[in-house]
Amino acid sequence: MPKKASDIFNETNYVFGSKGDFKDAFPEIQEMSIHVTELESLIWMKEQTTHYLTAEYPGAEYIDCTNPSCDGGGFSMGNVLREAVNSKEEEIEKSITCQGSETTGRRCMHAFKVSGSVKYRA
């Protein structure tokens, strides 16, 4: 069975960083409300699954692709949040393609629509 992005992240030991919880990684975020919708592709826009993330239930560093043939699939929600925090973005609207490839060797066609808001501590 192919590994997903979160499996690879969880199995990796990083030399110049450490894994922590959401509050340690993003102390400046007071509230957030983010919807992540997985699409079969950005062309067909057929919805596969939806995640709802908040500061209380932030999910994980990676959101996995649900394509059963996808290896290493998903995307880094942590990177999306780090980019938003660095830019002090209060609204997030992104379309992200899956970073994995299918077991046939072709790139996974799944994609993710990320939308929501972030409120920062004063």
Side-chain angles (χ1 to χ4, degrees):
M1 180 169 197
K3 289 186 178 183
K4 299 300 178 186
S6 65
D7 297 327
I8 296 167
F9 175 77
N10 290 332
E11 293 170 2
T12 303
N13 293 317
Y14 294 96
V15 176
F16 296 108
S18 62
K19 302 171 191 172
D21 69 7
F22 180 81
K23 289 182 187 293
D24 291 337
F26 301 103
E28 53 275 276
I29 294 180
Q30 180 177 339
E31 294 176 24
M32 72 176 189
S33 175
I34 298 176
H35 286 95
V36 179
T37 304
E38 183 177 350
L39 307 169
E40 198 169 285
S41 82
L42 288 174
I43 298 166
W44 298 299
M45 303 294 276
K46 182 179 175 190
E47 293 184 10
Q48 294 295 310
T49 189
T50 300
H51 304 271
Y52 181 65
L53 310 175
T54 66
E56 292 79 28
Y57 302 100
E61 175 72 21
Y62 281 85
I63 293 188
D64 291 332
C65 177
T66 61
N67 179 348
S69 299
C70 182
D71 188 32
F75 78 100
S76 174
M77 188 63 215
N79 283 346
V80 171
L81 288 175
R82 281 186 280 281
E83 184 180 300
V85 167
N86 288 339
S87 304
K88 293 292 184 217
E89 292 176 43
E90 293 184 352
E91 297 294 324
I92 298 173
E93 288 287 335
K94 293 192 175 296
S95 294
I96 302 168
T97 56
C98 177
Q99 69 184 25
S101 19
E102 293 188 350
T103 51
T104 60
R106 77 175 190 152
R107 182 179 178 101
C108 180
M109 296 298 291
H110 282 219
F112 301 85
K113 285 189 64 87
V114 181
S115 62
S117 61
V118 179
K119 183 177 178 184
Y120 298 97
R121 297 185 194 288

